[in-house]
Amino acid sequence: MRVLGIDPGLQNMGWGVIELDGPRLRHIANGIVHSDQGELGVRLLRLYRGLSAVIIAHAPTAAAVEQTFVNKDAVGTLKLGQARGIALLAPAEAGLEIGEYAPNAVKKAVVGVGHAGKEQVQHMVRHQLPGVEFAGPDAADALAIAICHAHHLQSRTIRIKVRA
């Protein structure tokens, strides 16, 4: 199973694809879709087209998106929410099941602690995906989101097998 992790952002949308083979995880690819500057509609279109191209190129079978946290800047939060809408739309259009995870849930799944720092998360992503080179911090976060979803899918599969 291939899992696409998406770290939504209006300027930089990180993405990472991993392969889940039983208990093993393998890095496939990671990158960042950039929207540059300009009119909001055009920027969202760039994100959508870029993310859609990633889905076509890497053929994931599941996707996961980080949930938005609300900050003090209402306008910034709204724009991030619109970018997150693109992060949900592109995989939904491709027919992918989408998991959504809070930032603390991702950190806990990858590091074991819900309030881990970015450096700790990146270290553990490197540990779980040996040899990985990050396209940037947003791509590293996206791989962490993919790993979190892979763990969720693994535990769901185990529960189903136990019940059968």
Side-chain angles (χ1 to χ4, degrees):
M1 174 178 288
R2 279 199 177 180
V3 179
L4 168 64
I6 304 169
D7 181 34
L10 182 57
Q11 188 147 5
N12 299 309
M13 184 173 292
W15 61 270
V17 180
I18 62 172
E19 183 87 27
L20 174 63
D21 182 19
R24 289 192 151 135
L25 299 177
R26 184 171 56 96
H27 173 254
I28 301 299
N30 71 87
I32 301 170
V33 179
H34 303 282
S35 73
D36 300 316
Q37 298 295 318
E39 181 186 327
L40 180 60
V42 173
R43 293 175 74 187
L44 293 171
L45 180 60
R46 283 187 194 120
L47 294 174
Y48 173 76
R49 286 183 176 163
L51 194 53
S52 294
V54 167
I55 292 169
I56 290 167
H58 297 289
T61 53
V65 178
E66 188 171 69
Q67 294 175 343
T68 305
F69 62 91
V70 178
N71 60 33
K72 295 177 184 174
D73 177 14
V75 173
T77 300
L78 180 59
K79 287 181 180 179
L80 179 58
Q82 291 168 323
R84 189 171 178 279
I86 297 300
L88 292 166
L89 175 64
E93 183 181 54
L96 300 178
E97 176 186 330
I98 305 167
E100 298 180 66
Y101 300 95
N104 286 351
V106 173
K107 292 173 183 178
K108 187 166 185 168
V110 175
V111 178
V113 179
H115 295 288
K118 281 196 175 284
E119 298 79 22
Q120 290 173 297
V121 173
Q122 289 178 9
H123 173 77
M124 289 306 293
V125 169
R126 283 188 184 100
H127 177 73
Q128 294 182 50
L129 302 172
V132 68
E133 294 290 330
F134 302 133
D138 299 303
D141 290 346
L143 286 169
I145 295 160
I147 291 169
C148 175
H149 192 53
H151 291 325
H152 175 78
L153 293 172
Q154 287 171 328
S155 67
R156 190 171 71 180
T157 301
I158 291 169
R159 282 193 301 261
I160 291 170
K161 288 180 182 178
V162 169
R163 289 183 186 160

